[in-house]
Amino acid sequence: MREKITRKNPASVPAPVGNYTHITKIPRNAELFVTSGQVGVDQQGQFPRNMNDQVRNTFSNVKAVLESEGLRAENIIKVNIWATEQIDWDFLYAEWDRLFEKEYPAMTIGYLAELGLPEIKIEIEIWAAKV
């Protein structure tokens, strides 16, 4: 029987306050992938001024990095999100749901004063595993 990545929200912990899972289990001998933080730069190397445009570009860049290794959303085990301004959660979760549908990975979010360049408003790092 082939093992698979499993996700759960233990009954002993309050339900997630967003679209994520409390714990993800990676089977033994899985191949682990860790991305650098993906940012909202477009294909021409430009950063839109609008946060939601950067969110859209960031998800596009995340998908491209995953696809370069034959990975899909089901392989994502952990997402770290950093932002320098308030996130429009309805917009971000619409992009999130297009990527994950309803099987969410573990997630951490933090707001920072700044990221690597002054024009970067959001950065998303992905951890993935392939069984």
Side-chain angles (χ1 to χ4, degrees):
M1 182 173 130
R2 182 176 165 209
E3 291 188 74
K4 64 179 210 166
I5 296 167
T6 56
R7 297 164 173 81
K8 71 179 186 179
N9 294 309
S12 59
V13 177
V17 297
N19 295 354
Y20 62 89
T21 300
H22 281 304
I23 191 161
T24 302
K25 180 181 176 186
I26 300 93
R28 195 178 309 264
N29 299 319
E31 200 172 2
L32 185 63
F33 298 82
V34 179
T35 72
S36 292
Q38 298 303 301
V39 296
V41 66
D42 66 19
Q43 292 296 323
Q44 291 71 43
Q46 302 300 309
F47 287 91
R49 291 186 187 270
N50 180 281
M51 174 63 140
N52 284 347
D53 291 337
Q54 284 201 25
V55 167
R56 183 181 301 110
N57 288 350
T58 301
F59 274 91
S60 177
N61 295 335
V62 163
K63 290 175 198 172
V65 168
L66 292 172
E67 289 170 358
S68 76
E69 291 295 326
L71 299 168
R72 300 186 311 251
E74 69 189 38
N75 300 111
I76 298 173
I77 57 174
K78 175 74 167 115
V79 177
N80 293 316
I81 300 174
W82 295 279
T84 61
E85 63 182 56
Q86 188 65 41
I87 293 171
D88 173 348
W89 287 103
D90 291 336
F91 187 87
L92 186 132
Y93 276 152
E95 294 291 319
W96 186 259
D97 286 345
R98 272 193 278 287
L99 178 61
F100 294 109
E101 297 175 2
K102 296 294 177 202
E103 192 162 318
Y104 302 121
M107 174 175 61
T108 300
I109 299 166
Y111 287 99
L112 307 170
E114 60 185 53
L115 289 160
L117 296 172
E119 54 268 41
I120 299 173
K121 297 178 184 286
I122 188 163
E123 188 165 346
I124 299 178
E125 172 190 40
I126 302 291
W127 289 65
K130 190 185 287 186
V131 181

